[in-house]
Amino acid sequence: MVAKVWFVSSEAGRSGESVQAKVLRLLDEAGFKAIIPENGLVAVKTHFGEEGCDSFVSPLYIRQVISKVKEAGGIPFLTDSNTLYRGMRYNAVSHLALAIRHGFGSEVTGAPILIADGLRSQNEMIVGISGVHLQETRIAAGIAEADALVVVSHLKGHAVAGFGGAIKNLAMGCASAEGKREQHRAMPAIVREEECVGCGGCVSACQEGAISFEGFSRVDPYRCIGCGICIENCPENAIYFDYERDAAPLSEYLAEYALGAASLFPGKVLYLNFLLRITPDCDCAPFSDRPIVPDIGILASTDPVAIDSASLDLVDGQQGFAGTRLAKHHAPGEEKFSGVWPKLSIRAQIRHGERIGLGKSEYELIRI
């Protein structure tokens, strides 16, 4: 059987219905109550946005999700895990402060915030899987110990994965720091030895201590987190990512980590993808660029592969905006995110997710 994906358009139309009201109606149509256990602790996983970013899912929409969890008899909490790179979300203290600054405090959303992997991202649970690359994953304990999970994702582009939706939110978003590091090992920075002049700029720029100098710079792939700071600080352009070799394997690691997180909630997880303000970059960027296509709507499903597949199909069906980072593929039917990130295999995480049993790429779109 194909997976079901429910969809509501963002267009107000004749009804004049707000997006907040559409969220409530979408949850009802998608059978939201069935995944919420009575008096169960329900993790509402979202992304609070990096400092400087403002394209994340609005806390006003999150509030509607929280209200539906309460209505169904669950006890909701809002959550995310700390980042691997060093920024405002690197530890739980500054992460929580940023979440509140971005409007996610309980006075707005109606639920407390829990940073799921603890103060310094050491609170994790080892979850076994039968993957192609991995046999275990490291999932943030505050998510792993919940009774049900609602994954709220902003659909947008991504410089390494091509796009971010439900699968990436499950994978990187639910992993501890060590779990994130394990996924990023699939795509380490590489030094062209013959072009390195030994200036040392990359060594001092790397906050992870992943680069040493022995006549030329060397990158330790086990410490590299793929942040690209060394590339930005190399005046000779001697450091690079091998997208053709490594981008697809990283997407496969994402799918396998998503499998680890999803396997903890059989029959107790729902995914929401917001196709609003669809930007070229992840919400981890300290800025928000112009959208590449018009706002589309919101999707819901119990299948993370199906909802991401449907999301990409809806994005690709749009007329792309001129004057944005969408360099090509503007016509309806053309793959939009490859028009921004041409070196990436955009649907690699979907293909691998289906291969390992995370979900199905075929879906029935139910318009409400």
PDB file of all heavy atoms in Angstrom, residues 186-224:
ATOM      1  N   ALA A 186      30.936  11.089   6.920  1.00  0.00           N
ATOM      2  CA  ALA A 186      30.766  10.665   5.527  1.00  0.00           C
ATOM      3  C   ALA A 186      31.267  11.719   4.551  1.00  0.00           C
ATOM      4  O   ALA A 186      31.490  11.409   3.372  1.00  0.00           O
ATOM      5  CB  ALA A 186      29.295  10.357   5.253  1.00  0.00           C
ATOM      6  N   MET A 187      31.460  12.967   5.023  1.00  0.00           N
ATOM      7  CA  MET A 187      31.864  14.036   4.104  1.00  0.00           C
ATOM      8  C   MET A 187      32.893  14.955   4.757  1.00  0.00           C
ATOM      9  O   MET A 187      32.605  16.110   5.072  1.00  0.00           O
ATOM     10  CB  MET A 187      30.649  14.839   3.646  1.00  0.00           C
ATOM     11  CG  MET A 187      30.947  15.719   2.434  1.00  0.00           C
ATOM     12  SD  MET A 187      29.397  16.386   1.754  1.00  0.00           S
ATOM     13  CE  MET A 187      30.056  17.203   0.290  1.00  0.00           C
ATOM     14  N   PRO A 188      34.129  14.478   4.935  1.00  0.00           N
ATOM     15  CA  PRO A 188      35.164  15.339   5.512  1.00  0.00           C
ATOM     16  C   PRO A 188      35.769  16.282   4.478  1.00  0.00           C
ATOM     17  O   PRO A 188      35.690  16.033   3.269  1.00  0.00           O
ATOM     18  CB  PRO A 188      36.220  14.327   5.976  1.00  0.00           C
ATOM     19  CG  PRO A 188      36.105  13.212   4.969  1.00  0.00           C
ATOM     20  CD  PRO A 188      34.619  13.127   4.644  1.00  0.00           C
ATOM     21  N   ALA A 189      36.354  17.361   4.960  1.00  0.00           N
ATOM     22  CA  ALA A 189      37.101  18.256   4.076  1.00  0.00           C
ATOM     23  C   ALA A 189      38.366  17.546   3.585  1.00  0.00           C
ATOM     24  O   ALA A 189      38.908  16.672   4.261  1.00  0.00           O
ATOM     25  CB  ALA A 189      37.461  19.538   4.803  1.00  0.00           C
ATOM     26  N   ILE A 190      38.819  17.935   2.402  1.00  0.00           N
ATOM     27  CA  ILE A 190      39.985  17.304   1.774  1.00  0.00           C
ATOM     28  C   ILE A 190      40.985  18.391   1.387  1.00  0.00           C
ATOM     29  O   ILE A 190      40.594  19.464   0.914  1.00  0.00           O
ATOM     30  CB  ILE A 190      39.567  16.513   0.521  1.00  0.00           C
ATOM     31  CG1 ILE A 190      38.526  15.443   0.892  1.00  0.00           C
ATOM     32  CG2 ILE A 190      40.781  15.858  -0.146  1.00  0.00           C
ATOM     33  CD1 ILE A 190      37.883  14.802  -0.315  1.00  0.00           C
ATOM     34  N   VAL A 191      42.281  18.116   1.595  1.00  0.00           N
ATOM     35  CA  VAL A 191      43.343  19.068   1.252  1.00  0.00           C
ATOM     36  C   VAL A 191      44.048  18.625  -0.021  1.00  0.00           C
ATOM     37  O   VAL A 191      44.460  17.466  -0.151  1.00  0.00           O
ATOM     38  CB  VAL A 191      44.370  19.190   2.390  1.00  0.00           C
ATOM     39  CG1 VAL A 191      45.489  20.170   1.998  1.00  0.00           C
ATOM     40  CG2 VAL A 191      43.704  19.637   3.681  1.00  0.00           C
ATOM     41  N   ARG A 192      44.166  19.530  -0.966  1.00  0.00           N
ATOM     42  CA  ARG A 192      45.011  19.285  -2.140  1.00  0.00           C
ATOM     43  C   ARG A 192      46.448  19.597  -1.724  1.00  0.00           C
ATOM     44  O   ARG A 192      46.848  20.770  -1.642  1.00  0.00           O
ATOM     45  CB  ARG A 192      44.600  20.186  -3.308  1.00  0.00           C
ATOM     46  CG  ARG A 192      43.186  19.970  -3.826  1.00  0.00           C
ATOM     47  CD  ARG A 192      42.941  20.842  -5.047  1.00  0.00           C
ATOM     48  NE  ARG A 192      41.590  20.751  -5.551  1.00  0.00           N
ATOM     49  CZ  ARG A 192      40.587  21.563  -5.185  1.00  0.00           C
ATOM     50  NH1 ARG A 192      40.810  22.538  -4.305  1.00  0.00           N
ATOM     51  NH2 ARG A 192      39.386  21.405  -5.695  1.00  0.00           N
ATOM     52  N   GLU A 193      47.205  18.568  -1.454  1.00  0.00           N
ATOM     53  CA  GLU A 193      48.541  18.744  -0.874  1.00  0.00           C
ATOM     54  C   GLU A 193      49.438  19.619  -1.744  1.00  0.00           C
ATOM     55  O   GLU A 193      50.212  20.440  -1.235  1.00  0.00           O
ATOM     56  CB  GLU A 193      49.189  17.375  -0.653  1.00  0.00           C
ATOM     57  CG  GLU A 193      48.402  16.487   0.300  1.00  0.00           C
ATOM     58  CD  GLU A 193      48.988  15.094   0.390  1.00  0.00           C
ATOM     59  OE1 GLU A 193      50.076  14.875  -0.200  1.00  0.00           O
ATOM     60  OE2 GLU A 193      48.377  14.230   1.045  1.00  0.00           O
ATOM     61  N   GLU A 194      49.338  19.454  -3.053  1.00  0.00           N
ATOM     62  CA  GLU A 194      50.225  20.193  -3.957  1.00  0.00           C
ATOM     63  C   GLU A 194      49.910  21.685  -4.003  1.00  0.00           C
ATOM     64  O   GLU A 194      50.745  22.489  -4.449  1.00  0.00           O
ATOM     65  CB  GLU A 194      50.156  19.604  -5.371  1.00  0.00           C
ATOM     66  CG  GLU A 194      48.848  19.813  -6.117  1.00  0.00           C
ATOM     67  CD  GLU A 194      47.747  18.847  -5.717  1.00  0.00           C
ATOM     68  OE1 GLU A 194      47.970  18.029  -4.786  1.00  0.00           O
ATOM     69  OE2 GLU A 194      46.655  18.918  -6.328  1.00  0.00           O
ATOM     70  N   GLU A 195      48.711  22.075  -3.528  1.00  0.00           N
ATOM     71  CA  GLU A 195      48.329  23.484  -3.564  1.00  0.00           C
ATOM     72  C   GLU A 195      48.452  24.163  -2.205  1.00  0.00           C
ATOM     73  O   GLU A 195      48.347  25.388  -2.113  1.00  0.00           O
ATOM     74  CB  GLU A 195      46.896  23.617  -4.082  1.00  0.00           C
ATOM     75  CG  GLU A 195      46.727  23.146  -5.516  1.00  0.00           C
ATOM     76  CD  GLU A 195      45.305  23.308  -6.025  1.00  0.00           C
ATOM     77  OE1 GLU A 195      44.549  24.079  -5.399  1.00  0.00           O
ATOM     78  OE2 GLU A 195      44.949  22.678  -7.046  1.00  0.00           O
ATOM     79  N   CYS A 196      48.678  23.394  -1.152  1.00  0.00           N
ATOM     80  CA  CYS A 196      48.802  23.959   0.189  1.00  0.00           C
ATOM     81  C   CYS A 196      50.144  24.674   0.328  1.00  0.00           C
ATOM     82  O   CYS A 196      51.203  24.109   0.019  1.00  0.00           O
ATOM     83  CB  CYS A 196      48.690  22.843   1.233  1.00  0.00           C
ATOM     84  SG  CYS A 196      48.925  23.392   2.935  1.00  0.00           S
ATOM     85  N   VAL A 197      50.132  25.930   0.800  1.00  0.00           N
ATOM     86  CA  VAL A 197      51.356  26.715   0.960  1.00  0.00           C
ATOM     87  C   VAL A 197      51.802  26.796   2.411  1.00  0.00           C
ATOM     88  O   VAL A 197      52.785  27.467   2.729  1.00  0.00           O
ATOM     89  CB  VAL A 197      51.168  28.141   0.392  1.00  0.00           C
ATOM     90  CG1 VAL A 197      50.881  28.086  -1.101  1.00  0.00           C
ATOM     91  CG2 VAL A 197      50.056  28.887   1.135  1.00  0.00           C
ATOM     92  N   GLY A 198      51.072  26.111   3.296  1.00  0.00           N
ATOM     93  CA  GLY A 198      51.493  26.041   4.693  1.00  0.00           C
ATOM     94  C   GLY A 198      51.278  27.315   5.480  1.00  0.00           C
ATOM     95  O   GLY A 198      52.027  27.596   6.424  1.00  0.00           O
ATOM     96  N   CYS A 199      50.241  28.086   5.144  1.00  0.00           N
ATOM     97  CA  CYS A 199      50.015  29.344   5.860  1.00  0.00           C
ATOM     98  C   CYS A 199      49.461  29.112   7.268  1.00  0.00           C
ATOM     99  O   CYS A 199      49.556  29.982   8.138  1.00  0.00           O
ATOM    100  CB  CYS A 199      49.079  30.249   5.067  1.00  0.00           C
ATOM    101  SG  CYS A 199      47.380  29.635   4.949  1.00  0.00           S
ATOM    102  N   GLY A 200      48.811  27.966   7.484  1.00  0.00           N
ATOM    103  CA  GLY A 200      48.286  27.641   8.810  1.00  0.00           C
ATOM    104  C   GLY A 200      46.932  28.247   9.121  1.00  0.00           C
ATOM    105  O   GLY A 200      46.425  28.075  10.231  1.00  0.00           O
ATOM    106  N   GLY A 201      46.350  28.955   8.168  1.00  0.00           N
ATOM    107  CA  GLY A 201      45.062  29.591   8.431  1.00  0.00           C
ATOM    108  C   GLY A 201      43.972  28.590   8.772  1.00  0.00           C
ATOM    109  O   GLY A 201      43.135  28.835   9.640  1.00  0.00           O
ATOM    110  N   CYS A 202      43.976  27.445   8.106  1.00  0.00           N
ATOM    111  CA  CYS A 202      42.950  26.433   8.362  1.00  0.00           C
ATOM    112  C   CYS A 202      43.118  25.806   9.742  1.00  0.00           C
ATOM    113  O   CYS A 202      42.135  25.480  10.417  1.00  0.00           O
ATOM    114  CB  CYS A 202      42.991  25.352   7.283  1.00  0.00           C
ATOM    115  SG  CYS A 202      44.584  24.498   7.140  1.00  0.00           S
ATOM    116  N   VAL A 203      44.374  25.650  10.171  1.00  0.00           N
ATOM    117  CA  VAL A 203      44.644  25.039  11.480  1.00  0.00           C
ATOM    118  C   VAL A 203      44.073  25.903  12.593  1.00  0.00           C
ATOM    119  O   VAL A 203      43.398  25.419  13.507  1.00  0.00           O
ATOM    120  CB  VAL A 203      46.155  24.821  11.684  1.00  0.00           C
ATOM    121  CG1 VAL A 203      46.425  24.236  13.069  1.00  0.00           C
ATOM    122  CG2 VAL A 203      46.720  23.904  10.604  1.00  0.00           C
ATOM    123  N   SER A 204      44.325  27.203  12.519  1.00  0.00           N
ATOM    124  CA  SER A 204      43.827  28.099  13.563  1.00  0.00           C
ATOM    125  C   SER A 204      42.329  28.322  13.460  1.00  0.00           C
ATOM    126  O   SER A 204      41.661  28.591  14.465  1.00  0.00           O
ATOM    127  CB  SER A 204      44.561  29.447  13.486  1.00  0.00           C
ATOM    128  OG  SER A 204      44.394  30.046  12.208  1.00  0.00           O
ATOM    129  N   ALA A 205      41.756  28.191  12.264  1.00  0.00           N
ATOM    130  CA  ALA A 205      40.323  28.427  12.089  1.00  0.00           C
ATOM    131  C   ALA A 205      39.477  27.258  12.566  1.00  0.00           C
ATOM    132  O   ALA A 205      38.330  27.443  12.969  1.00  0.00           O
ATOM    133  CB  ALA A 205      40.015  28.717  10.619  1.00  0.00           C
ATOM    134  N   CYS A 206      40.026  26.050  12.536  1.00  0.00           N
ATOM    135  CA  CYS A 206      39.248  24.855  12.870  1.00  0.00           C
ATOM    136  C   CYS A 206      39.013  24.777  14.378  1.00  0.00           C
ATOM    137  O   CYS A 206      39.942  24.603  15.158  1.00  0.00           O
ATOM    138  CB  CYS A 206      39.954  23.586  12.395  1.00  0.00           C
ATOM    139  SG  CYS A 206      39.030  22.081  12.766  1.00  0.00           S
ATOM    140  N   GLN A 207      37.751  24.895  14.783  1.00  0.00           N
ATOM    141  CA  GLN A 207      37.391  24.856  16.193  1.00  0.00           C
ATOM    142  C   GLN A 207      37.314  23.445  16.746  1.00  0.00           C
ATOM    143  O   GLN A 207      37.170  23.257  17.956  1.00  0.00           O
ATOM    144  CB  GLN A 207      36.047  25.566  16.393  1.00  0.00           C
ATOM    145  CG  GLN A 207      36.078  27.039  16.024  1.00  0.00           C
ATOM    146  CD  GLN A 207      34.712  27.692  16.145  1.00  0.00           C
ATOM    147  OE1 GLN A 207      33.692  27.086  15.854  1.00  0.00           O
ATOM    148  NE2 GLN A 207      34.691  28.938  16.590  1.00  0.00           N
ATOM    149  N   GLU A 208      37.414  22.448  15.886  1.00  0.00           N
ATOM    150  CA  GLU A 208      37.320  21.060  16.319  1.00  0.00           C
ATOM    151  C   GLU A 208      38.691  20.405  16.472  1.00  0.00           C
ATOM    152  O   GLU A 208      38.772  19.245  16.883  1.00  0.00           O
ATOM    153  CB  GLU A 208      36.491  20.255  15.307  1.00  0.00           C
ATOM    154  CG  GLU A 208      35.095  20.784  15.103  1.00  0.00           C
ATOM    155  CD  GLU A 208      34.300  20.835  16.385  1.00  0.00           C
ATOM    156  OE1 GLU A 208      34.333  19.844  17.132  1.00  0.00           O
ATOM    157  OE2 GLU A 208      33.643  21.873  16.638  1.00  0.00           O
ATOM    158  N   GLY A 209      39.766  21.139  16.154  1.00  0.00           N
ATOM    159  CA  GLY A 209      41.106  20.548  16.231  1.00  0.00           C
ATOM    160  C   GLY A 209      41.287  19.407  15.251  1.00  0.00           C
ATOM    161  O   GLY A 209      42.032  18.451  15.515  1.00  0.00           O
ATOM    162  N   ALA A 210      40.601  19.506  14.102  1.00  0.00           N
ATOM    163  CA  ALA A 210      40.627  18.410  13.135  1.00  0.00           C
ATOM    164  C   ALA A 210      41.742  18.545  12.100  1.00  0.00           C
ATOM    165  O   ALA A 210      41.922  17.642  11.279  1.00  0.00           O
ATOM    166  CB  ALA A 210      39.278  18.332  12.415  1.00  0.00           C
ATOM    167  N   ILE A 211      42.486  19.670  12.121  1.00  0.00           N
ATOM    168  CA  ILE A 211      43.515  19.902  11.112  1.00  0.00           C
ATOM    169  C   ILE A 211      44.874  20.063  11.778  1.00  0.00           C
ATOM    170  O   ILE A 211      45.027  20.809  12.749  1.00  0.00           O
ATOM    171  CB  ILE A 211      43.195  21.153  10.270  1.00  0.00           C
ATOM    172  CG1 ILE A 211      41.784  21.045   9.661  1.00  0.00           C
ATOM    173  CG2 ILE A 211      44.225  21.338   9.161  1.00  0.00           C
ATOM    174  CD1 ILE A 211      41.373  22.239   8.831  1.00  0.00           C
ATOM    175  N   SER A 212      45.836  19.335  11.280  1.00  0.00           N
ATOM    176  CA  SER A 212      47.214  19.443  11.750  1.00  0.00           C
ATOM    177  C   SER A 212      48.104  19.837  10.569  1.00  0.00           C
ATOM    178  O   SER A 212      47.677  19.799   9.409  1.00  0.00           O
ATOM    179  CB  SER A 212      47.684  18.118  12.349  1.00  0.00           C
ATOM    180  OG  SER A 212      47.606  17.075  11.384  1.00  0.00           O
ATOM    181  N   PHE A 213      49.350  20.229  10.874  1.00  0.00           N
ATOM    182  CA  PHE A 213      50.263  20.648   9.816  1.00  0.00           C
ATOM    183  C   PHE A 213      51.544  19.817   9.883  1.00  0.00           C
ATOM    184  O   PHE A 213      52.235  19.788  10.892  1.00  0.00           O
ATOM    185  CB  PHE A 213      50.597  22.136   9.950  1.00  0.00           C
ATOM    186  CG  PHE A 213      51.459  22.657   8.826  1.00  0.00           C
ATOM    187  CD1 PHE A 213      50.901  22.905   7.580  1.00  0.00           C
ATOM    188  CD2 PHE A 213      52.819  22.857   9.004  1.00  0.00           C
ATOM    189  CE1 PHE A 213      51.686  23.363   6.534  1.00  0.00           C
ATOM    190  CE2 PHE A 213      53.609  23.313   7.966  1.00  0.00           C
ATOM    191  CZ  PHE A 213      53.050  23.570   6.724  1.00  0.00           C
ATOM    192  N   GLU A 214      51.811  19.112   8.790  1.00  0.00           N
ATOM    193  CA  GLU A 214      53.026  18.288   8.678  1.00  0.00           C
ATOM    194  C   GLU A 214      53.619  18.483   7.285  1.00  0.00           C
ATOM    195  O   GLU A 214      53.573  17.599   6.446  1.00  0.00           O
ATOM    196  CB  GLU A 214      52.687  16.814   8.916  1.00  0.00           C
ATOM    197  CG  GLU A 214      52.040  16.529  10.268  1.00  0.00           C
ATOM    198  CD  GLU A 214      51.542  15.107  10.366  1.00  0.00           C
ATOM    199  OE1 GLU A 214      52.049  14.240   9.639  1.00  0.00           O
ATOM    200  OE2 GLU A 214      50.616  14.865  11.169  1.00  0.00           O
ATOM    201  N   GLY A 215      54.121  19.695   7.044  1.00  0.00           N
ATOM    202  CA  GLY A 215      54.585  20.038   5.707  1.00  0.00           C
ATOM    203  C   GLY A 215      53.461  20.578   4.852  1.00  0.00           C
ATOM    204  O   GLY A 215      53.672  21.424   3.980  1.00  0.00           O
ATOM    205  N   PHE A 216      52.288  20.080   5.075  1.00  0.00           N
ATOM    206  CA  PHE A 216      51.036  20.595   4.492  1.00  0.00           C
ATOM    207  C   PHE A 216      49.914  20.234   5.463  1.00  0.00           C
ATOM    208  O   PHE A 216      50.099  19.429   6.383  1.00  0.00           O
ATOM    209  CB  PHE A 216      50.787  20.011   3.099  1.00  0.00           C
ATOM    210  CG  PHE A 216      50.764  18.512   3.061  1.00  0.00           C
ATOM    211  CD1 PHE A 216      49.609  17.798   3.344  1.00  0.00           C
ATOM    212  CD2 PHE A 216      51.926  17.806   2.760  1.00  0.00           C
ATOM    213  CE1 PHE A 216      49.593  16.430   3.329  1.00  0.00           C
ATOM    214  CE2 PHE A 216      51.920  16.419   2.743  1.00  0.00           C
ATOM    215  CZ  PHE A 216      50.754  15.728   3.029  1.00  0.00           C
ATOM    216  N   SER A 217      48.780  20.836   5.286  1.00  0.00           N
ATOM    217  CA  SER A 217      47.665  20.599   6.202  1.00  0.00           C
ATOM    218  C   SER A 217      47.070  19.213   5.984  1.00  0.00           C
ATOM    219  O   SER A 217      46.965  18.730   4.852  1.00  0.00           O
ATOM    220  CB  SER A 217      46.572  21.657   6.007  1.00  0.00           C
ATOM    221  OG  SER A 217      47.058  22.930   6.382  1.00  0.00           O
ATOM    222  N   ARG A 218      46.678  18.582   7.084  1.00  0.00           N
ATOM    223  CA  ARG A 218      46.027  17.274   7.050  1.00  0.00           C
ATOM    224  C   ARG A 218      44.718  17.365   7.837  1.00  0.00           C
ATOM    225  O   ARG A 218      44.696  17.926   8.932  1.00  0.00           O
ATOM    226  CB  ARG A 218      46.904  16.193   7.664  1.00  0.00           C
ATOM    227  CG  ARG A 218      48.187  15.898   6.906  1.00  0.00           C
ATOM    228  CD  ARG A 218      49.009  14.855   7.648  1.00  0.00           C
ATOM    229  NE  ARG A 218      50.243  14.536   6.962  1.00  0.00           N
ATOM    230  CZ  ARG A 218      50.376  13.561   6.052  1.00  0.00           C
ATOM    231  NH1 ARG A 218      49.300  12.832   5.725  1.00  0.00           N
ATOM    232  NH2 ARG A 218      51.535  13.327   5.468  1.00  0.00           N
ATOM    233  N   VAL A 219      43.651  16.799   7.301  1.00  0.00           N
ATOM    234  CA  VAL A 219      42.344  16.785   7.956  1.00  0.00           C
ATOM    235  C   VAL A 219      42.090  15.404   8.538  1.00  0.00           C
ATOM    236  O   VAL A 219      42.200  14.389   7.839  1.00  0.00           O
ATOM    237  CB  VAL A 219      41.216  17.139   6.966  1.00  0.00           C
ATOM    238  CG1 VAL A 219      39.857  17.047   7.660  1.00  0.00           C
ATOM    239  CG2 VAL A 219      41.431  18.536   6.392  1.00  0.00           C
ATOM    240  N   ASP A 220      41.798  15.363   9.823  1.00  0.00           N
ATOM    241  CA  ASP A 220      41.426  14.116  10.487  1.00  0.00           C
ATOM    242  C   ASP A 220      39.936  13.873  10.219  1.00  0.00           C
ATOM    243  O   ASP A 220      39.081  14.582  10.753  1.00  0.00           O
ATOM    244  CB  ASP A 220      41.677  14.221  11.990  1.00  0.00           C
ATOM    245  CG  ASP A 220      41.324  12.945  12.750  1.00  0.00           C
ATOM    246  OD1 ASP A 220      40.691  12.048  12.159  1.00  0.00           O
ATOM    247  OD2 ASP A 220      41.677  12.842  13.936  1.00  0.00           O
ATOM    248  N   PRO A 221      39.581  12.874   9.396  1.00  0.00           N
ATOM    249  CA  PRO A 221      38.170  12.672   9.036  1.00  0.00           C
ATOM    250  C   PRO A 221      37.297  12.269  10.221  1.00  0.00           C
ATOM    251  O   PRO A 221      36.075  12.404  10.146  1.00  0.00           O
ATOM    252  CB  PRO A 221      38.237  11.561   7.989  1.00  0.00           C
ATOM    253  CG  PRO A 221      39.513  10.840   8.274  1.00  0.00           C
ATOM    254  CD  PRO A 221      40.469  11.887   8.765  1.00  0.00           C
ATOM    255  N   TYR A 222      37.911  11.786  11.302  1.00  0.00           N
ATOM    256  CA  TYR A 222      37.132  11.385  12.473  1.00  0.00           C
ATOM    257  C   TYR A 222      36.781  12.567  13.370  1.00  0.00           C
ATOM    258  O   TYR A 222      35.895  12.473  14.206  1.00  0.00           O
ATOM    259  CB  TYR A 222      37.875  10.310  13.272  1.00  0.00           C
ATOM    260  CG  TYR A 222      37.897   8.984  12.556  1.00  0.00           C
ATOM    261  CD1 TYR A 222      38.968   8.634  11.746  1.00  0.00           C
ATOM    262  CD2 TYR A 222      36.820   8.109  12.657  1.00  0.00           C
ATOM    263  CE1 TYR A 222      38.973   7.423  11.072  1.00  0.00           C
ATOM    264  CE2 TYR A 222      36.818   6.904  11.984  1.00  0.00           C
ATOM    265  CZ  TYR A 222      37.894   6.560  11.194  1.00  0.00           C
ATOM    266  OH  TYR A 222      37.893   5.375  10.510  1.00  0.00           O
ATOM    267  N   ARG A 223      37.474  13.689  13.189  1.00  0.00           N
ATOM    268  CA  ARG A 223      37.176  14.891  13.967  1.00  0.00           C
ATOM    269  C   ARG A 223      36.482  15.960  13.133  1.00  0.00           C
ATOM    270  O   ARG A 223      35.816  16.839  13.678  1.00  0.00           O
ATOM    271  CB  ARG A 223      38.454  15.470  14.578  1.00  0.00           C
ATOM    272  CG  ARG A 223      39.126  14.573  15.599  1.00  0.00           C
ATOM    273  CD  ARG A 223      40.287  15.285  16.284  1.00  0.00           C
ATOM    274  NE  ARG A 223      39.811  16.435  17.049  1.00  0.00           N
ATOM    275  CZ  ARG A 223      39.342  16.365  18.298  1.00  0.00           C
ATOM    276  NH1 ARG A 223      39.244  15.191  18.906  1.00  0.00           N
ATOM    277  NH2 ARG A 223      38.953  17.443  18.931  1.00  0.00           N
ATOM    278  N   CYS A 224      36.623  15.894  11.816  1.00  0.00           N
ATOM    279  CA  CYS A 224      36.003  16.891  10.930  1.00  0.00           C
ATOM    280  C   CYS A 224      34.487  16.805  11.021  1.00  0.00           C
ATOM    281  O   CYS A 224      33.915  15.706  10.972  1.00  0.00           O
ATOM    282  CB  CYS A 224      36.463  16.656   9.498  1.00  0.00           C
ATOM    283  SG  CYS A 224      35.723  17.785   8.285  1.00  0.00           S
TER     284      CYS A 224
END
